[in-house]
């Protein structure tokens, strides 16, 4: 141990080693402070009069595969100041050595804190056993919580978005500094009053990036009337796509007639599709009843009371949004549909071969999913030419209408031409959607006013009215470089931390781990 003791860098600065002992699997280092005097913590008077001594035993970083324990000689001094209430005080070691009453050196405590931030409680404890750190899971969590926050610069550009404590039931708010790309704060709810109070306490904020949630917009307008609000561009594009899909769904009866599918042969359906068709037939009875009452002038609120249906469902029926026979859900295959259609058009009609090709590019779904898709494609090709099959679902039609014509197969291109010829209003809505997408992607703020004027009289009128009510934020999104993408990324990190702690962490621990690691 002599060569190790002769080094001066194994101990924190300000200490001198007196003796090193090897006790089993533990290295014990006796040391004392190099200072001959100490300052009174009460009055600051420097004293050299030693009253007594005692030992402290803080744990230090492990070395050579063994735990390390410092045995620090601590001196008690007499305070010579006449008016000081502390007659006797213990010397204080520098903060980079250890802190008062701490059971670990500062450098070990910093390591404990970083491991706690990265892993949490129980996983950190499991790793600590391998690193020879005598720390429990509760100590890791206390270390993460107890870290004093450093004074941060006043934020100038912030992003605000909500996150789910429990999806569909309880939500919180995450606030991100977009310039420094780090989380500033977590709020326990998404109430406008909570966000407004937080913003009022920080008058230096100049830009607030948010989604099109009206609550956040109103809170920012009341708290910071001079701040620029920026709508999130991704949400604008997503809202435009949803508005066009809703327009397609409302026109599905006319679309079926346009592509020559007026009747449906149940013999061509799979078992799952047959169940959907039977459910559609049952829904049609309810749809006819609600539409008849609406045509007679009965208000929606009264229809809800008479039928027992929800307000949202009644609105969907009145707007014609429940006319699609085959309503599909998102699946593992959704993102791969364009690739499947290209392979199918290229002549690959075997489900197993299609699955192998997708699998080679990273597809994680099963062979059964791809095989069922191939079966539906073959049956659709057999059925559609005869005029007695089933039309594609609304989501597929919306995708075909918005795709570039050079990316369509001949059959799909013919379907698109028939639909646009029979429904010029839908063709106009498709053109408006394409123009809006191009306007957002190329940041053409000057084109927004003209686009809104045209969209007011189209199938996208509801979407246009929503944009008009938030026009200043939408225009800022086309002008400013800020967006809520960084905030969305931080929410993904927050979700990872929540799952890592099995959803049991409260907001102070989530905030400590998220902010400290930013």
């Amino acid at each position: 141990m002599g060569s190790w003791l002769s080094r001066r860098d194994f101990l924190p600065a300000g200490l001198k080693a007196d003796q090193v002992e090897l006790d089993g699997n533990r290295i014990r280092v006796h040391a004392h402070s190099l200072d001959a005097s100490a300052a009174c913590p009460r009055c600051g008077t420097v004293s050299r009069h030693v009253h007594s001594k005692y030992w402290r035993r803080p744990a230090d970083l492990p070395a050579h595969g063994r735990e390390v324990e410092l045995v620090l000689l601590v001196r008690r001094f007499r305070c010579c100041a006449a008016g000081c209430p502390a007659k006797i005080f213990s010397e204080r070691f520098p903060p980079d050595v250890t802190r008062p009453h701490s059971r670990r050196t500062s450098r070990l405590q910093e390591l404990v804190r970083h491991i706690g931030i990265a892993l949490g409680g129980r996983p950190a404890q499991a790793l600590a056993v391998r690193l020879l750190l005598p720390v429990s899971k509760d100590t890791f969590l206390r270390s993460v919580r107890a870290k004093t926050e450093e004074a941060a610069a006043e934020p100038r550009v912030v992003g605000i978005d909500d996150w789910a404590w429990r999806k569909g039931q309880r939500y919180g708010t995450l606030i991100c500094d977009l310039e420094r790309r780090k989380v500033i704060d977590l709020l326990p709810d998404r109430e406008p009053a909570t966000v407004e109070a937080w913003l009022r306490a920080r008058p230096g904020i100049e830009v607030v990036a948010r989604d099109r949630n009206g609550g956040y917009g109103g809170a920012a307008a009341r708290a910071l009337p001079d701040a620029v609000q920026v709508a999130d561009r991704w949400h604008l594009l997503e809202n435009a796509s949803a508005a066009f899909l809703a327009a397609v769904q409302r026109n599905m009866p006319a679309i079926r007639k346009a592509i020559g599918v007026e009747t449906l042969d149940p013999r061509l359906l799979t078992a799952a599709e047959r169940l959907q068709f039977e459910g559609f037939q049952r829904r049609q009875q309810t749809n006819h009843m609600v539409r008849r009452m609406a045509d007679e002038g009965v208000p929606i609120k009264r229809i809800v009371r008479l039928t027992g249906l929800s307000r949202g469902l009644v609105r969907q029926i009145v707007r014609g949004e429940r006319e699609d026979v085959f309503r599909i859900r998102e699946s593992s295959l959704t993102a791969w549909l364009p690739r499947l259609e290209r392979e199918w058009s290229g002549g690959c009609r075997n489900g197993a071969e299609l699955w192998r090709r997708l699998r080679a590019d990273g597809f994680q779904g099963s062979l059964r999913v791809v095989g069922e898709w191939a079966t539906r494609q073959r049956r659709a090709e057999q059925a559609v030419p005869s005029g007695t099959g089933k039309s594609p679902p609304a989501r597929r039609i919306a995708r075909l209408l918005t795709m570039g014509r050079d990316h369509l197969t001949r059959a799909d291109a013919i379907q698109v031409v028939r639909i646009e010829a029979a429904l010029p209003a839908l063709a106009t809505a498709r053109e408006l959607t394409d123009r809006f997408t191009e306007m957002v992607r190329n940041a053409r703020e000057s084109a927004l006013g003209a686009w809104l004027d045209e969209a007011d009289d189209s199938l996208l009128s509801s979407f246009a009215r929503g944009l008009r009510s938030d026009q200043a934020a939408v225009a800022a999104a086309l002008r400013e470089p800020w967006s809520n993408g960084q905030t969305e990324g931080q929410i993904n990190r927050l979700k990872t931390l929540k799952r890592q702690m099995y959803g049991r962490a409260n907001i102070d621990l989530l905030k400590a781990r998220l902010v400290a690691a930013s």
Side-chain angles (χ1 to χ4, degrees):
M1 303 297 290
S3 60
W4 184 64
L5 181 58
S6 63
R7 295 176 56 195
R8 301 298 301 251
D9 58 350
F10 72 93
L11 279 177
L15 297 182
K16 180 180 180 181
D18 299 322
Q19 180 184 0
V20 177
E21 298 177 357
L22 182 60
D23 182 11
N25 198 37
R26 174 174 297 180
I27 299 173
R28 188 172 290 115
V29 182
H30 294 257
H32 67 275
S33 174
L34 292 174
D35 294 333
S37 60
C40 176
R42 291 288 190 92
C43 65
T45 302
V46 177
S47 174
R48 302 174 64 93
H49 300 282
V50 178
H51 173 272
S52 58
K53 302 176 183 179
Y54 68 95
W55 300 98
R56 283 184 61 186
R57 297 174 179 268
D60 197 13
L61 295 174
H64 303 280
R66 292 178 171 87
E67 296 180 9
V68 175
E69 180 185 62
L70 292 184
V71 183
L72 297 179
L73 178 64
V74 186
R75 295 165 294 178
R76 292 190 181 96
F77 289 86
R78 298 181 186 274
C79 183
C80 301
C84 181
K87 302 301 181 183
I88 299 173
F89 64 91
S90 298
E91 65 177 317
R92 297 291 192 266
F93 291 97
D96 57 344
V97 176
T98 186
R99 299 201 177 260
H101 314 294
S102 177
R103 301 175 62 183
R104 287 170 290 278
T105 60
S106 295
R107 59 188 184 183
L108 177 58
Q109 181 61 33
E110 191 66 12
L111 176 62
V112 167
R113 173 179 169 268
H114 282 297
I115 294 176
I117 289 171
L119 299 178
R122 203 176 296 274
Q125 182 183 19
L127 178 63
V129 173
R130 295 179 177 272
L131 296 179
L132 302 177
L133 301 179
V135 184
S136 69
K137 60 182 186 298
D138 294 327
T139 301
F140 277 111
L141 297 183
R142 281 196 301 270
S143 300
V144 173
R145 286 187 170 106
K147 175 65 177 179
T148 56
E149 296 185 1
E150 299 177 358
E154 188 73 15
R156 191 182 69 88
V157 183
V158 299
I160 302 178
D161 206 351
D162 55 6
W163 55 278
W165 281 101
R166 190 169 183 181
K167 192 172 182 180
Q169 298 184 27
R170 184 185 171 202
Y171 289 85
T173 299
L174 183 142
I175 303 176
C176 177
D177 188 331
L178 297 184
E179 287 187 307
R180 296 173 180 83
R181 305 176 69 84
K182 62 187 301 183
V183 177
I184 303 175
D185 206 350
L186 287 183
L187 305 182
D189 56 51
R190 59 176 178 182
E191 295 298 321
T194 305
V195 178
E196 181 180 349
W198 191 93
L199 293 174
R200 282 188 187 279
R202 293 157 181 84
I205 294 176
E206 301 175 8
V207 179
V208 178
R210 55 172 178 81
D211 59 17
R212 297 183 61 221
N213 183 335
Y216 290 152
R222 291 188 295 272
L224 303 169
D226 297 330
V228 177
Q229 296 190 40
V230 180
D232 184 51
R233 288 185 285 275
W234 183 89
H235 281 95
L236 289 175
L237 296 177
E238 195 271 339
N239 294 154
S241 299
F244 182 71
L245 176 59
V248 173
Q249 291 172 336
R250 290 194 297 271
N251 288 275
M252 279 306 294
I255 290 174
R256 293 192 189 95
K257 294 179 182 179
I259 60 179
V261 182
E262 300 183 3
T263 60
L264 190 145
D265 188 355
R267 293 174 300 176
L268 298 175
L269 304 180
T270 64
E273 291 169 342
R274 192 175 297 113
L275 290 175
Q276 285 187 316
F277 179 62
E278 293 169 355
F280 168 75
Q281 291 178 316
R282 291 191 298 270
R283 291 196 306 273
Q284 282 296 85
Q285 300 175 5
T286 304
N287 295 349
H288 291 321
M289 176 183 64
V290 172
R291 279 197 299 270
R292 186 176 68 252
M293 296 173 70
D295 293 340
E296 294 173 357
V298 181
I300 290 179
K301 187 179 294 185
R302 181 167 176 77
I303 296 176
V304 170
R305 286 199 301 267
L306 293 176
T307 60
L309 302 174
S310 69
R311 179 184 288 266
L313 179 57
V314 172
R315 282 179 174 167
Q316 284 183 348
I317 296 174
V318 172
R319 294 172 180 173
E321 297 176 2
R322 285 208 351 143
E323 298 297 328
D324 196 8
V325 179
F326 299 99
R327 298 179 296 177
I328 61 173
R329 295 181 179 179
E330 295 284 334
S331 70
S332 60
L333 204 60
T334 302
W336 298 85
L337 289 177
R339 167 70 184 279
L340 279 172
E341 290 167 1
R342 288 197 300 271
E343 296 286 354
W344 188 269
S345 303
C348 182
R349 303 302 176 94
N350 182 275
E353 177 60 25
L354 287 170
W355 176 75
R356 283 191 290 269
R357 293 184 182 183
L358 295 186
R359 190 79 172 176
D361 289 341
F363 177 63
Q364 299 295 321
S366 65
L367 171 62
R368 178 184 61 82
V369 175
V370 180
E372 288 182 354
W373 180 88
T375 301
R376 288 195 298 270
Q377 287 291 104
R378 280 191 290 271
R379 291 181 176 179
E381 287 184 351
Q382 296 171 2
V384 171
S386 66
T388 60
K390 62 182 179 67
S391 71
R395 191 175 296 274
R396 174 173 167 76
I397 290 177
R399 185 169 63 251
L400 292 178
L401 289 172
T402 53
M403 284 176 63
R405 296 296 183 262
D406 53 340
H407 294 153
L408 295 175
T409 63
R410 182 173 179 275
D412 289 339
I414 292 173
Q415 279 192 351
V416 168
V417 170
R418 287 177 178 173
I419 293 171
E420 292 187 344
L423 290 97
L426 192 60
T428 302
R430 190 267 306 164
E431 180 188 357
L432 287 169
T433 303
D434 290 344
R435 285 171 50 195
F436 183 81
T437 301
E438 186 269 339
M439 178 174 60
V440 172
R441 288 178 174 170
N442 295 317
R444 295 175 53 235
E445 180 190 0
S446 59
L448 179 60
W451 187 92
L452 289 174
D453 292 337
E454 293 184 44
D456 283 337
D457 298 325
S458 70
L459 295 177
L460 303 181
S461 58
S462 178
F463 175 59
R465 286 195 299 273
L467 293 182
R468 279 196 186 278
S469 65
D470 200 20
Q471 187 169 351
V474 175
L478 305 181
R479 181 180 67 250
E480 301 286 340
W482 309 108
S483 184
N484 238 16
Q486 173 65 207
T487 311
E488 297 284 356
Q490 298 290 356
I491 288 175
N492 283 337
R493 288 185 54 233
L494 176 60
K495 290 178 182 178
T496 301
L497 292 177
K498 281 178 71 262
R499 293 181 182 128
Q500 189 182 72
M501 293 183 283
Y502 303 98
R504 296 169 59 187
N506 54 21
I507 192 166
D508 67 321
L509 181 56
L510 284 174
K511 178 182 173 181
R513 292 192 64 187
L514 192 66
V515 174
S518 296

